[in-house]
Amino acid sequence: MAGDAGSVLKVSVWRSSGPGGVAAGDGRFETFEVPRQPSQTVLDVVTHIQRHCDPTLGYRFACRVGVCGSCAMVVNGEARWTCRTHVDKVAEGGRLEVAPLRNLPVIRDLATDMSAFFDKWARARGQFSGTRSRQEPFAVVEPQSEERRQVDLGIECIGCGVCYSSCDVVEWKPDYLGPAAMNRAWTLVNDVRDTARRERLAAVAGDAGCHACHTHMSCTERCPKHLPLTSAIAGLKRETTRALLRGEL
Amino acid sequence: MSPRAQAGLWFAQRMSAVVLAFAVVVHLATMIYAVRSGLSAAEILDRTRGNLPWFLFYAGFVVAIAVHLPIGLRNVIAETLGWRGRLLEACTAALAAGLLAWGLRAAWAVYAPGGA
């Protein structure tokens, strides 16, 4: 269905049953009718519902232009940035289904609690550890070096949670770190200035880390930034194995 | 189990997969050859008894299976049933020991000059 002015979109929106802190499965879909507009995004649709149909609808957004990563939701079964998803591309037969991200607890309706997602970045040692102070000269990182190229491939992650929501292993193993946290760890493993490589490799090894990845590649396929997340996890598998064989893990 | 030990299991499973990729092809080719050539059980045993290379091949095949299968089963059970911990590790370790014992016994049975 094209975005004909005058036509109507039928939108099923997930509504949580409680006022907050409810489990992801606790709720129901509610259907709204929304007028079609040219170049309409899914976020436009959700905003229309909140402003014109039901002001109690809870959802999260900020920038509206694919920079902040806060408006990710599951649209017709796939996690996406709603602000960068045109209705024309996803509405089949004039219908949309909008749900909160999977694998995260729902705060209210379409807004999820991202705490576990970001806690795992910390658990994967996603913090940079350097040695230089601000009084010392800048470290020189050769732009053409292999390490820097690997960092370039993964550094643009904005933490939207689309990969985490799309990952089967997170669903099966709730303690699994997930693609984004390990992508962050991989950029730091390749950061020549970083001094916590050994601790970081230990943090991402094992059943809750890179070794649990089944290489389904849903994260890579769904990442709105097209980051090679599965390759980053494979890189961690290689480096942890090297560390294991050297007795450094 | 420590992350180091878990990483070790992952590595052992990958290395045993390399052995299995080779061993399964050889095993299937051997079986197809034996069936298509119409070899009887006695004729097969006549070829395998006292044949050290075949014994070493099948002993290696058995070791690779005993390493590979229980590690994979441990992961499948943990992911699909949510069962984890020491009891699961003990059960899969017992399975590994059983596969090793039964497999080596079978390999020895077709190698030992007088039968097992």
Side-chain angles (χ1 to χ4, degrees), chain A residues 172-173 175 205-207 211 214 237 241 244-245 249, chain B residues 3-4 6-8 10-11 14 74-75 78-79 84:
Chain A
W172 299 331
K173 292 183 169 179
D175 58 340
D207 291 347
H211 296 107
H214 283 256
K237 287 176 183 172
T241 301
L244 177 75
L245 297 176
L249 196 61
Chain B
R4 184 175 185 277
Q6 291 165 0
W10 180 86
F11 184 62
R14 266 50 183 183
R74 171 181 172 272
N75 291 339
E79 288 172 4
R84 296 169 201 187

Side-chain angles (χ1 to χ4, degrees), chain A residues 43-57:
Chain A
L43 183 60
D44 292 336
V45 170
V46 175
T47 300
H48 177 93
I49 293 170
Q50 202 249 9
R51 294 193 181 165
H52 301 282
C53 306
D54 185 348
T56 66
L57 177 66

Side-chain angles (χ1 to χ4, degrees), chain A residues 20-38:
Chain A
V22 295
D26 192 6
R28 75 211 177 281
F29 281 100
E30 195 175 329
T31 304
F32 299 91
E33 292 193 342
V34 177
R36 292 295 305 272
Q37 303 289 342

